[in-house]
């Protein structure tokens, strides 16, 4: 990947360096099941979860699961050696690129992303006031609202059920009232605010209002995709080890032969 990204950057620098934005970002945290090969979550350990079993990295909404760095490169437009703590999302790439290109998106639909032009070009530190994180399959149903980020606070409605390095998944739990963490004081998400305290109530009420607004917006949105995600067995790759698209794991020498063929072709 280093080589490929470097090749893209070199091609850009050699052709139209001052008129090309390179926006590089991760999409999730380390794959915890790969243990020592997974990578590091740094201080974002999700200790509340790991102390009860289960993972807190990829496929979760703990900070170690989805908090990733972004590098934006545009000589002459983005000041070098600067950083921003603005709360952004991958959803913001689309509206930002449209804005930079001078394109106005259709007005008959709603967009969850924001225009981050001022963050990239002018050092603005303000991003999303709220971010809503759906479940990605670790616990409950895909798409269930699992976590809400509000400034420095983060509320969990669902926890658990993501596999850790040792194979434990932790018990799926629903939280009502939600667990709320102060990420400025507790980046490891170890100790939630005590429910019932004034500090908790202020944050919980603010998040609850915006959560209800979001759920109503989703329920009344007329532009929801109606794509057909069913699969056709005739279009699935076969398990013939002589085919490059084989993604199955048949027993015996067929798989070994396919592996050797793949490596041989790679060397050529």
């Amino acid at each position: 990947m280093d080589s490929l990204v470097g090749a893209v950057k070199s091609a850009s620098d050699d052709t139209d360096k001052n008129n090309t934005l390179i926006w590089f970002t991760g999409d999730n945290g380390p794959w915890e099941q790969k243990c020592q090969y997974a990578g590091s979550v740094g201080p974002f350990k999700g200790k509340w979860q790991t102390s009860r079993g289960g993972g807190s990295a990829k496929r979760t909404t703990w900070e170690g699961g989805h908090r990733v760095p972004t590098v934006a490169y545009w000589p002459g437009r983005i000041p070098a050696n600067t950083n921003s703590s603005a709360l952004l999302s991958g959803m913001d790439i689309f509206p930002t690129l449209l804005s930079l290109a001078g394109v106005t998106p259709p007005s008959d639909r709603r967009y969850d992303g924001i225009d981050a032009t001022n963050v990239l070009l002018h050092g603005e530190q303000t991003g999303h006031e709220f971010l809503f994180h759906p479940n990605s399959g670790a616990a409950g149903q895909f798409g269930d609202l699992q976590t809400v980020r509000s400034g420095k606070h983060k509320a969990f409605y669902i926890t658990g059920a993501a596999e850790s390095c040792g194979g434990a998944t932790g018990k799926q739990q629903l939280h009502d009232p939600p667990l709320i963490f102060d990420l400025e004081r507790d980046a490891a998400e170890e100790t939630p605010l005590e429910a019932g305290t004034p500090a908790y109530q202020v944050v919980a009420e603010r998040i609850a209002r915006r959560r209800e607004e979001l759920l109503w917006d989703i329920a009344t949105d007329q532009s929801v995709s109606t794509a057909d995600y069913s699969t056709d067995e005739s279009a699935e790759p076969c398990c013939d080890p002589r085919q490059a698209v084989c993604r199955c794991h048949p027993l015996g020498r067929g798989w070994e032969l396919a592996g050797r063929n793949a490596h041989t072709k790679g060397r050529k």
Side-chain angles (χ1 to χ4, degrees):
M1 180 174 285
D2 288 347
S3 177
L4 291 172
V5 172
V8 171
K9 180 181 177 297
S10 295
S12 167
D13 288 348
D14 292 342
T15 53
D16 203 2
K17 179 177 181 177
N18 295 325
N19 196 37
T20 303
L21 166 64
I22 297 178
W23 192 333
F24 182 88
T25 183
D27 65 341
N28 54 250
W31 195 348
E32 195 166 351
Q33 293 165 260
K34 293 188 176 292
C35 300
Q36 68 266 36
Y37 304 109
S40 172
V41 295
F44 309 111
K45 300 181 183 297
K47 286 185 176 181
W48 188 94
Q49 184 62 66
T50 57
S51 67
R52 292 164 173 76
S56 61
K58 182 176 179 178
R59 296 185 69 214
T60 78
T61 55
W62 298 98
E63 289 296 282
H66 67 182
R67 181 173 180 145
V68 294
T70 284
V71 177
Y73 170 79
W74 195 354
R77 299 292 301 276
I78 297 178
N81 302 314
T82 58
N83 59 67
S84 174
S85 59
L87 185 60
L88 298 179
S89 163
M91 297 183 296
D92 304 327
I93 295 176
F94 177 65
T96 304
L97 295 183
L98 290 183
S99 175
L100 290 170
V103 175
T104 301
S107 59
D108 62 343
R109 66 205 69 185
R110 302 191 184 194
Y111 302 90
D112 293 318
I114 62 174
D115 179 4
T117 298
N118 287 333
V119 174
L120 294 179
L121 304 186
H122 307 302
E124 188 175 290
Q125 298 292 317
T126 302
H128 286 269
E129 181 184 1
F130 288 86
L131 276 178
F132 301 93
H133 304 295
N135 166 47
S136 58
Q141 297 294 317
F142 279 97
D144 283 349
L145 181 59
Q146 184 165 354
T147 311
V148 178
R149 174 74 182 269
S150 172
K152 68 176 184 176
H153 292 103
K154 189 167 162 194
F156 280 85
Y157 295 92
I158 306 174
T159 58
E163 187 173 345
S164 66
C165 166
T169 58
K171 181 181 178 181
Q172 177 184 325
Q173 297 183 52
L174 304 179
H175 301 277
D176 184 15
L179 300 176
I180 299 179
F181 296 87
D182 181 339
L183 298 179
E184 285 187 359
R185 297 184 178 183
D186 186 15
E189 294 171 298
E190 182 175 17
T191 306
L193 301 180
E194 186 176 344
T197 62
Y200 178 95
Q201 291 298 330
V202 169
V203 178
E205 289 174 10
R206 181 172 69 244
I207 289 176
R209 285 195 301 269
R210 289 301 298 270
R211 178 175 179 263
E212 290 304 314
E213 291 174 8
L214 172 75
L215 295 176
W216 177 252
D217 179 65
I218 292 172
T220 58
D221 190 352
Q222 300 300 312
S223 64
V224 176
S225 171
T226 56
D228 180 3
Y229 292 106
S230 60
T231 59
D232 185 344
E233 291 185 2
S234 65
E236 296 177 0
C238 65
C239 282
D240 184 343
R242 296 168 296 179
Q243 299 295 328
V245 295
C246 181
R247 288 295 181 268
C248 342
H249 295 261
L251 299 176
R253 293 183 55 82
W255 174 252
E256 296 171 3
L257 176 62
R260 286 200 298 272
N261 286 343
H263 290 303
T264 301
K265 291 177 182 177
R267 285 197 297 271
K268 288 180 181 179

